[in-house]
Amino acid sequence: MDRRSFVRGMAGGAALAAGPLLLPRAAFAALPAGALAGEELGVLPGKRPLIKRSFRPPNYETPIGEYASLLTPNDRFFVRWHLASIPEIDPRDWRLSVAGDAAATPLELSLEDLKHGFERVEVVAVCQCAGNRRGLSDPHVAGVQWGSGAMGNARWAGVRLKDVLAKAGIAADAVEVAFDGADQGALEKTPDFIKSIPAWKALDENTLIAYEMNGEPLPHLNGAPARIVVPGWTATYWMKKVVSIRALRKPLEGFWMQKAYRIPKGKFPVVDRFTTQENADTTPITEMVVNSLITSHLEGQHIRAGTPTTVAGIAWDGGFGIRSVDVSLDGGRSWQAAELGSDAGRFSFRPWSYSFTPARGGHVLSARASNGVGATQVDKLIFNGPGYHNNVIQRLALEAE
Ligand SMILES: Nc1nc2c(c(=O)[nH]1)N[C@H]1C(S)=C(S)[C@@H](COP(=O)(O)O)O[C@H]1N2
Ligand SMILES: [Mo]
């Protein structure tokens, strides 16, 4: 049994036991300590064990071994909620209101209306929290201490948001489209989680109202019965359990746009802009930065000297497409091109692999992805207070003997 199937088998077995379980440190030592010390698996309804970061609201991440498959299984897909009151919605009772001051013909849709009134489309896309890897930030930053598992890749099916907006008579001068979900804060004073995207992104043919994930109805905790899917952009905009969509002539105000999920202007090599929400210093986060993850080996793993070895992983970006992945075995001094695997579209994880025959001794393994607009992963963290956009090149020590 190789190391990965061992980790998988162990995690699967954990589902049978009651209560929280401590995950042996070695199983997730693929990343620096920090977030990973004292890792605890937790079981949520409808899920196999995930790595627990907080229980109320539920924030749980996917174990890295799951990224060995191109699509992340629904029952192991990470879970992230800001508000603690998350209603289970009977799909027959769900209604979606599509309105706003820039909608000439507001409408209300049932799930059946959505499924039968509009063309069904699919997209494979990565859903990644802006704060993925925050827990690995050095210096430490506040917030959910995510390792590398606040992301997943799925085949989303639903309808184009633009088709629904057209039916609601969206005006040519709409500037943003706002989304609200059915979740609420446990306390009155917690601001409701409402997000908007620029009208141009809402009208992009890849932006969906999705009701299926990997061929199944969305899991409750991933947004049943329907969620917004914004391929390329960080998951903060992927509103779950969406109940209201509004076309707006003025920028959306409120805590979740004006205070949270913002980055310093000009600090990251991002292309997409959200101009109606920019201020003098900061801008809302938009597309994901180019990134990669080694999934085949764990930190400190022993490999056989003189025997062909394949290292593998995934790369992804904000929708420009992965152009290349380079691998280093000497801590970043020299790089060789990895082989890219199956292409499921520019919004998907892109698998890669690299084969070599290790000499006896220690090797420091790194992967570095570059995308279609010439952006590449960074050697040094681009520090920002909330710990967003961490795409520092990973360093994994292997011992060949
Ligand atoms: N209704 C609702 N939708 C939401 C959120 C939320 O708190 N409430 N969190 C967003 C954020 S920040 C992330 S990272 C993703 C997480 O999606 P997942 O739980 O399906 O993995 O949902 C997004 N959609
Ligand atoms: Mo997030």
Side-chain angles (χ1 to χ4, degrees):
M1 194 196 269
D2 66 14
R3 188 82 71 109
R4 190 190 300 148
S5 46
F6 166 73
V7 170
R8 281 231 185 126
M10 181 187 63
L16 303 171
L21 287 143
L22 284 180
L23 188 65
R25 182 95 61 97
F28 282 92
L31 293 150
L36 305 170
E39 204 109 270
E40 195 183 281
L41 285 178
V43 186
L44 289 168
K47 297 275 182 183
R48 280 184 287 148
L50 296 170
I51 301 166
K52 178 177 156 188
R53 297 297 173 202
S54 74
F55 179 67
R56 199 174 154 82
N59 287 303
Y60 287 71
E61 65 179 272
T62 301
I64 288 170
E66 292 297 338
Y67 303 129
S69 63
L70 182 66
L71 301 178
T72 314
N74 290 5
D75 63 3
R76 278 230 138 159
F77 206 93
F78 86 106
V79 171
R80 198 274 184 264
W81 291 87
H82 293 86
L83 309 176
S85 175
I86 307 162
E88 285 220 37
I89 303 174
D90 183 329
R92 288 166 302 190
D93 298 338
W94 177 78
R95 294 291 178 275
L96 174 63
S97 149
V98 189
D101 65 354
T105 51
L107 36 115
E108 198 180 71
L109 300 170
S110 68
L111 191 58
E112 290 301 302
D113 296 335
L114 200 66
K115 285 185 175 170
H116 302 298
F118 303 89
E119 187 188 343
R120 179 192 155 97
V121 290
E122 292 186 357
V123 65
V124 177
V126 176
C127 175
Q128 180 186 222
C129 183
N132 193 22
R133 299 190 180 174
R134 178 188 289 126
L136 311 176
S137 174
D138 182 13
H140 172 90
V141 289
V144 180
Q145 297 298 297
W146 299 117
S148 286
M151 62 172 186
N153 190 39
R155 183 181 300 279
W156 309 94
V159 304
R160 290 185 198 95
L161 175 58
K162 75 185 253 246
D163 292 349
V164 173
L165 289 171
K167 188 144 194 221
I170 186 170
D173 62 352
V175 294
E176 295 181 7
V177 174
F179 312 117
D180 192 7
D183 50 330
Q184 287 176 323
L187 305 168
E188 289 273 282
K189 65 175 172 35
T190 315
D192 195 10
F193 187 72
I194 307 178
K195 298 290 295 186
S196 66
I197 56 176
W200 66 264
K201 188 67 178 172
L203 296 171
D204 186 298
E205 62 173 5
N206 296 298
T207 302
L208 308 186
I209 306 171
Y211 47 76
E212 274 178 30
M213 182 176 167
N214 296 327
E216 303 281 336
L218 293 177
H220 161 57
L221 291 168
N222 300 107
R227 81 180 301 171
I228 302 297
V229 165
V230 191
W233 282 32
T234 60
T236 182
Y237 303 105
W238 297 41
M239 186 63 68
K240 298 188 280 188
K241 298 191 180 290
V242 60
V243 289
S244 156
I245 297 177
R246 284 177 299 143
L248 303 176
R249 284 201 164 90
K250 285 208 183 70
L252 179 70
E253 291 181 7
F255 176 83
W256 295 105
M257 292 308 296
Q258 289 163 328
K259 302 285 179 222
Y261 289 104
R262 301 185 68 95
I263 53 172
K265 265 168 126 176
K267 235 183 166 179
F268 293 94
V270 288
V271 175
D272 291 349
R273 284 185 62 185
F274 194 163
T275 54
T276 50
Q277 293 281 348
E278 288 179 4
N279 65 32
D281 309 312
T282 65
T283 171
I285 197 161
T286 55
E287 84 266 23
M288 293 175 274
V289 293
V290 64
N291 220 332
S292 69
L293 184 69
I294 298 160
T295 57
S296 61
H297 288 75
L298 301 168
E299 170 71 19
Q301 189 165 334
H302 288 225
I303 54 177
R304 292 185 82 109
T307 306
T309 300
T310 299
V311 295
I314 47 174
W316 66 99
D317 81 324
F320 304 104
I322 294 301
R323 194 177 50 196
S324 61
V325 175
D326 295 318
V327 168
S328 174
L329 301 161
D330 55 12
R333 276 195 298 276
S334 65
W335 296 90
Q336 295 80 32
E339 198 173 311
L340 296 182
S342 61
D343 184 357
R346 64 195 171 97
F347 300 112
S348 170
F349 282 155
R350 186 81 192 261
W352 55 265
S353 63
Y354 179 75
S355 298
F356 69 110
T357 302
R360 192 171 300 276
H363 300 270
V364 176
L365 177 63
S366 291
R368 182 182 66 190
S370 301
N371 72 0
V373 289
T376 192
Q377 289 180 247
V378 295
D379 292 316
K380 237 185 108 228
L381 183 73
I382 302 178
F383 184 80
N384 63 109
Y388 298 142
H389 277 335
N390 184 338
N391 68 343
V392 174
I393 295 168
Q394 211 186 338
R395 289 168 67 89
L396 206 76
L398 298 180
E399 189 64 36
E401 55 183 22

